[in-house]
Amino acid sequence: MDIRESLEQLLDGAIAASVADGSLAMDQAPEAALERPRDEANGDWASTVAMRCAKAAKKNPREIAQIIVDHIPANDMIAEVSIAGPGFINIRLTDAVLQNVVRLVRETQEDFGKGDVPQGERKINLEYVSANPTGPLHVGHGRWGALGDAMARVMRHAGYDVYEEFYINDHGTQMDVFGNSVAVRYMQLLGHDYEMPEQCYGGSYVADIAQEIIDKEGDKYVEMSDEERMKAFREIAYLEMLENQRTVLSRMGTNFDKWFSERSLYVEDETGESPVSRSLAAMDAKGYVYEKDGATWFKSSALGDEKDRVMIKANGEMTYFMSDVAYHYNKMERGFDHLINIWGADHHGYVKRCEAMLEAWGWPGALEIVLGQLVNLYRDGEAVRMSKRTGEMVTLEELVDEVGVDATRYLMLSRSSDQPIDFDIEVAKKRDNSNPVYYVQYAHARICSMLRRAADSADAAAVEAGEMTMGQLAAKILPDTVDLAPLTHPSELALMRKMDEFGPLVALAARDRAPFRLTHYAQDLAALFHQFYTNCHVLSEEEPLRSARLALVDATRIVLALALSLLGVSAPAKM
């Protein structure tokens, strides 16, 4: 239980005691619900509960606040309670409570701030990126990759059961178009008179794939019919592009529990059923399927959609929506009971029909869509439209090549998903305080440098050689029983307050699907550490202050590294 929860229990108990002895005449009192005061001079925590009780208790809020304060039992957490304004209850903590945060961080290490979601919480399938395997990933895909991966990390730390999935759109006409585009480039490169069709993929990567086929296998496909050549190249190009996407995302630190092939939805099992047929039959059994003009329709308008949707065309061709129907039903068949999809904002018109299909099967609210805005690339404030190398769109791989994984991920996560990101390539490459990821990582590296200087030369060398971790070094320098009572300087207390916020912040970021809050937290914690570094000497102090401050520094290292790890960003020991 964190400090806030413990304080809320104390206040809730005081309110209950006030009601029980008749001091407050209320049938049911609201919860204390503590929050940070806007001005730190007012204390560490504040509650508006007195004002929320005024109507029911028929008393002045300041009078109510005094009654509640008078009923707070003796405890070792609260140093001072004051009543301000119309009835705010302001609480200042004892230094010992904040000092205990340092002890807790060092005891729990990477488990600090871990949560437990309520018993019976749903098993979550988180699907994201899901790019067509017909071209390289663009920078927008990078944002969804960073967002989905960080969301999963944060939710797991908060106690959720999350399964990450990439949906491979490898079925349908776009795959034939891709295969034909490569086939035409292949024939052109071999000197044959072929024109690119109007419907094609025209990027330079298509010609690159065709050239690779020539380099490996020569002209063996020339004698094939156009249809045979298209099918052969469709599979070759598909597998190559899929592998490229896997490699780029893995390099970004984004890995999936499953890469789900759309094609598998159409494969029949030994009973002659496929995910498509099962999902359709289940929807039909609920009365939401009908035939019209030879086509098969989903009666989605009955569930709030603006119109009904075609699943199977009159010619028997399955629509893209039919695949989505089968895929989401398959997820539920696999035992997931809450689905989260991360989509670009251009898919907003698709949300209602997909929510409707889950409701049709009897799972209302099971589908959650996170819509995200796109990424605008800049270089020194000037918009970047095209790649210098290819003259086409800037790919995610090119961006990572230029600015690195850490800067790419951190800046992609720096804002809420419903806000566009202006990503300046030159800022991302800077090694100064104008680059937020550098600013945070430098704080961590500075701490590691302090710990190495506090150790003897042999242990410092062992860390340098990778034979000892920074955590092992800190444990060797500082026993668990460090006396933390000397930590009373305002800069020290500010660091400890911020570290205490970590667990509740992770819980809220997980609940709201908002990992971007961890970037702000990491920057705030780094700023407080830099202030502490300026205001408080560490290694030159006498004992016991030296050890106490080293323990505080080590705890800050742990929380900074943990915040960065939940964002999928490294915490370097040296920069």
Side-chain angles (χ1 to χ4, degrees):
M1 184 181 299
D2 60 50
I3 293 172
R4 178 178 179 171
E5 291 173 326
S6 298
L7 283 176
E8 284 177 339
Q9 279 194 0
L10 279 174
L11 273 186
D12 287 338
I15 295 166
S18 302
V19 172
D21 69 8
S23 300
L24 291 178
M26 294 185 296
D27 293 330
Q28 187 172 3
E31 294 181 345
L34 291 172
E35 57 191 41
R36 292 287 189 191
R38 292 182 181 178
D39 186 350
E40 288 186 5
N42 291 327
D44 296 299
W45 292 101
S47 176
T48 61
V49 68
M51 291 174 277
R52 288 182 278 117
C53 288
K55 186 175 180 180
K58 298 177 182 178
K59 288 181 181 291
N60 180 282
R62 285 188 65 92
E63 184 182 353
I64 294 171
Q66 188 61 59
I67 291 170
I68 294 171
V69 169
D70 290 343
H71 283 78
I72 295 175
N75 64 87
D76 57 4
M77 294 188 69
I78 299 174
E80 179 186 356
V81 183
S82 62
I83 299 169
F88 291 101
I89 300 175
N90 293 329
I91 298 173
R92 188 173 302 282
L93 297 169
T94 63
D95 292 344
V97 170
L98 293 173
Q99 292 157 4
N100 193 56
V101 174
V102 173
R103 185 171 291 108
L104 181 62
V105 171
R106 298 191 70 235
E107 285 176 357
T108 56
Q109 298 284 322
E110 66 271 10
D111 287 335
F112 179 67
K114 268 198 170 180
D116 295 308
V117 297
Q119 189 172 5
E121 177 60 44
R122 297 167 293 186
K123 185 178 180 183
I124 296 170
N125 179 291
L126 175 60
E127 182 222 323
Y128 59 101
V129 182
S130 298
N132 290 340
T134 54
L137 298 172
H138 56 64
V139 293
H141 294 131
R143 184 177 191 184
W144 313 142
L147 174 63
D149 180 70
M151 191 184 294
R153 291 169 186 255
V154 171
M155 291 179 73
R156 288 195 185 104
H157 201 76
Y160 292 81
D161 182 2
V162 183
Y163 185 89
E164 297 169 82
E165 192 152 306
F166 185 115
Y167 179 56
I168 310 168
N169 295 271
D170 56 3
H171 178 81
T173 57
Q174 88 274 5
M175 296 305 301
D176 291 345
V177 170
F178 184 39
N180 191 49
S181 300
V182 176
V184 171
R185 289 297 187 211
Y186 172 85
M187 296 300 285
Q188 289 176 342
L189 288 168
L190 288 173
H192 296 273
D193 186 17
Y194 269 71
E195 287 189 14
M196 285 296 283
E198 185 175 338
Q199 190 177 13
C200 68
Y201 291 91
S204 61
Y205 68 92
V206 175
D208 292 341
I209 295 173
Q211 185 62 55
E212 289 174 14
I213 294 172
I214 293 171
D215 293 343
K216 290 179 182 177
E217 304 188 69
D219 62 358
K220 64 177 283 188
Y221 297 98
V222 170
E223 299 304 319
M224 286 185 175
S225 69
D226 290 347
E227 179 72 11
E228 289 175 322
R229 191 182 308 113
M230 178 276 289
K231 289 181 178 179
F233 285 4
R234 180 185 63 192
E235 299 310 304
I236 293 171
Y238 155 58
L239 292 174
E240 178 167 335
M241 196 50 60
L242 185 62
E243 183 57 32
N244 174 264
Q245 292 181 354
R246 286 181 191 266
T247 300
V248 173
L249 287 169
S250 178
R251 183 180 168 195
M252 277 269 292
T254 300
N255 297 288
F256 296 87
D257 295 301
K258 187 175 184 66
W259 291 68
F260 189 101
S261 168
E262 181 183 358
R263 293 178 179 182
S264 67
L265 298 171
Y266 296 85
V267 176
E268 295 181 350
D269 60 20
E270 62 277 2
T271 68
E273 288 188 320
S274 68
V276 166
S277 64
R278 284 196 300 274
S279 65
L280 195 58
M283 190 175 282
D284 190 25
K286 298 289 187 177
Y288 287 101
V289 177
Y290 67 94
E291 304 291 325
K292 178 184 175 183
D293 300 329
T296 302
W297 296 72
F298 169 41
K299 198 186 299 181
S300 55
S301 62
L303 297 167
D305 194 11
E306 60 183 2
K307 62 181 181 181
D308 294 346
R309 307 292 175 176
V310 176
M311 294 186 290
I312 306 175
K313 299 177 183 179
N315 63 3
E317 182 183 341
M318 304 286 183
T319 63
Y320 289 123
F321 181 61
M322 183 69 251
S323 289
D324 283 328
V325 169
Y327 179 45
H328 286 82
Y329 188 77
N330 175 267
K331 288 181 182 180
M332 302 301 284
E333 279 189 310
R334 283 187 278 142
F336 299 105
D337 46 23
H338 189 66
L339 315 179
I340 303 175
N341 295 351
I342 300 177
W343 292 347
D346 55 332
H347 286 73
H348 68 91
Y350 220 66
V351 173
K352 192 59 192 176
R353 74 189 72 174
C354 290
E355 291 175 340
M357 67 188 178
L358 271 295
E359 187 174 351
W361 289 310
W363 298 308
L367 178 62
E368 176 184 345
I369 306 295
V370 176
L371 290 178
Q373 297 296 325
L374 299 180
V375 180
N376 303 310
L377 272 188
Y378 292 86
R379 191 182 294 276
D380 280 335
E382 295 291 325
V384 176
R385 305 295 182 196
M386 298 294 179
S387 163
K388 289 182 178 179
R389 184 176 65 81
T390 65
E392 299 162 0
M393 74 167 190
V394 180
T395 66
L396 175 60
E397 186 172 19
E398 287 176 299
L399 182 65
V400 171
D401 284 343
E402 185 164 0
V403 307
V405 170
D406 285 344
T408 299
R409 284 189 67 114
Y410 194 97
L411 294 177
M412 290 290 189
L413 292 167
S414 62
R415 302 192 74 176
S416 171
S417 60
D418 60 4
Q419 296 178 319
I421 285 181
D422 294 338
F423 191 114
D424 195 304
I425 294 170
E426 295 306 318
V427 170
K429 291 159 61 176
K430 287 182 178 178
R431 295 179 64 80
D432 60 34
N433 291 345
S434 68
N435 181 351
V437 66
Y438 178 87
Y439 182 74
V440 175
Q441 289 180 319
Y442 181 70
H444 183 270
R446 173 177 268 180
I447 290 171
C448 293
S449 174
M450 293 174 69
L451 292 173
R452 286 194 298 269
R453 283 186 284 129
D456 62 41
S457 57
D459 288 338
V463 171
E464 295 276 2
E467 298 166 356
M468 180 185 292
T469 68
M470 195 57 64
Q472 289 170 332
L473 178 70
K476 194 168 184 180
I477 297 170
L478 295 161
D480 294 335
T481 55
V482 171
D483 179 14
L484 301 172
L487 298 177
T488 59
H489 189 280
S491 292
E492 298 166 341
L493 297 173
L495 266 178
M496 293 183 283
R497 285 190 194 96
K498 180 56 67 173
M499 284 190 280
D500 181 57
E501 293 175 12
F502 182 75
L505 178 74
V506 169
L508 289 174
R511 184 199 68 185
D512 299 338
R513 323 306 190 214
F516 79 95
R517 293 175 185 164
L518 270 294
T519 64
H520 301 316
Y521 176 86
Q523 286 162 239
D524 290 345
L525 185 61
L528 289 172
F529 171 74
H530 290 309
Q531 290 172 17
F532 161 81
Y533 185 85
T534 299
N535 296 332
C536 301
H537 295 149
V538 178
L539 299 181
S540 61
E541 292 289 355
E542 297 295 325
E543 294 292 352
L545 182 57
R546 181 181 187 274
S547 290
R549 284 183 172 169
L550 270 175
L552 175 61
V553 165
D554 184 46
T556 306
R557 172 191 66 83
I558 293 166
V559 179
L560 269 178
L562 184 51
L564 287 171
S565 74
L566 295 183
L567 296 168
V569 176
S570 71
K574 182 182 287 188
M575 293 178 73

